[in-house]
Structure formats: structure tokens, C-alpha cells
Amino acid sequence: MPINIAIDGPAGAGKSTLARAVAKRLGYIYVDTGALYRAAALFVLERGTDIYNSAAVSALVPMMDIELKYVGGEQRVYLCGENVSGVIRSPEVSKAASVVSAVVAVRQFLFDLQQDIAETNNVVMDGRDIGTVVLPNAQVKIFLTASPEERAQRRYRELRDKGMDIDYKVVLEEVNQRDYNDSHREVAPLKPAADSLIVDTTGLSLADSEELLYKTITDRLAEN
């Protein structure tokens, strides 16, 4: 039976970076579900559709062609045959993904894709509702978090390093808004699963955060 590790948490908690690193150490496949929702959001934006119009967004779902491919052990996201792994990381797509991810039709479409991967592979999967909805029977469930201020600072540095001219206060506002959207949506709101282990990386370096997450996971696996 494949081993499934579910990692949930708010925007900017470092889920993708840390989950990817831990998956590599464990020899598991890493699945970044946030990237899938970003790809869906990009599809909607490229067609000029109002992201707040659920019916219009739902109508686009049958045309979405989203794939995860693994090149040299690294995940790549393809939208209609095009590698969009870099494009989907823009602030505009991030904001749209938070809205589009609340659309039931989009969630169901991507839910099926995520479950198919987990049923046949040892995976580390991160997102917003992995432990609560997508992989409720995962052997290990983690809720990875950090203070809003720290998460905003990390995001701010990341964007500045990419050459984007952005104000920290704007990033913090976006983080707080994303937290509110994700935790208050009607479908699969962001919250820890009842049996989740809370991992708070506030004040920790990237290396220390990775070590804490890895130890938390391996300790729980050893108990099972």
C-alpha cells in the first residue's frame, strides 16, 4: 500500500519548498497541488473570464488540460501542453488561484487527478485540504504554518529576488486576505485535520524548518 503524507497550511508557509525537500529525502513523489490550482487560475485569466463568476469558471473546466510531469525528479506543470511552471508563480495568478480554488467544479476536477497519483505512488502532497479532503487516510498529516508577518516577509524576499518592485505591506495584506479566503470558503476550507501534527516554523531557518518537518514525519511513520 502506498504511503501518503499530507501537508496542509496557509499561503507562504513554505509548504512547496519544504515538502519538495522532504519528498526527495524520503524518495517519494512530490505533488504540489497549489500549482494545479494556479494552472487552473491561469487558464481562466488567459480567457478573460471573471474569476468571481463561478458559473463562467465552471463552464471552462471541461476545456482544462492540466498535467503533472516529473523531469529529473522535479515536478513540472503543463497547461494545454505548455510548461507553465514559472508563469503560475506571479502575484496575479496567486490571487486568482485563491478565488478559483473555491469553485466546486474546479476542485472536483483536480481532486480526481490528485487521488489518482496518490493511489499508485508514495507521495508527499501539499495544499489546503489534503489531510481533510483529498487524502483523509494519509498515514501522516501535517499542518505547516508560521506567523502572517513571517510568511509575508518570505514572500516579499522571494518576489524582490525575482526583480519585482513590491511593497512589504501589500504582500502582508495579500497574505492576510488569502488566509481569510482560504479559511472561510464554503468548500473544503483551510483547517488542520483532527489528527494533524502542527509544525510551526516561525523564527526557523529553511534548513531547521526542513529538519523539523522531516523528523516529525519520520517519527510518525515509525509509530505506524
Side-chain angles (χ1 to χ4, degrees), residues 90-92 152-153 155-172 174:
S90 73
E92 180 188 14
Q153 188 61 48
R155 180 64 173 158
Y156 171 74
R157 287 196 300 265
E158 178 187 351
L159 294 174
R160 294 285 292 186
D161 288 344
K162 291 180 179 179
M164 297 184 185
D165 184 16
I166 192 164
D167 185 84
Y168 166 76
K169 290 182 179 179
V170 173
V171 178
L172 179 58
E174 290 179 349

Side-chain angles (χ1 to χ4, degrees), residues 101-158:
S101 65
V103 178
V104 175
V106 173
R107 298 200 72 81
Q108 187 61 53
F109 168 62
L110 295 178
F111 172 82
D112 293 339
L113 175 58
Q114 294 159 25
Q115 282 213 320
D116 287 345
I117 297 172
E119 285 175 359
T120 53
N121 298 279
N122 291 335
V123 300
V124 175
M125 186 179 294
D126 74 56
R128 299 288 192 281
D129 62 347
I130 309 305
T132 53
V133 177
V134 182
L135 301 178
N137 298 315
Q139 289 89 337
V140 182
K141 298 177 186 177
I142 301 288
F143 192 81
L144 184 69
T145 190
S147 70
E149 292 76 16
E150 176 134 347
R151 289 185 283 120
Q153 188 61 48
R154 293 172 183 173
R155 180 64 173 158
Y156 171 74
R157 287 196 300 265
E158 178 187 351

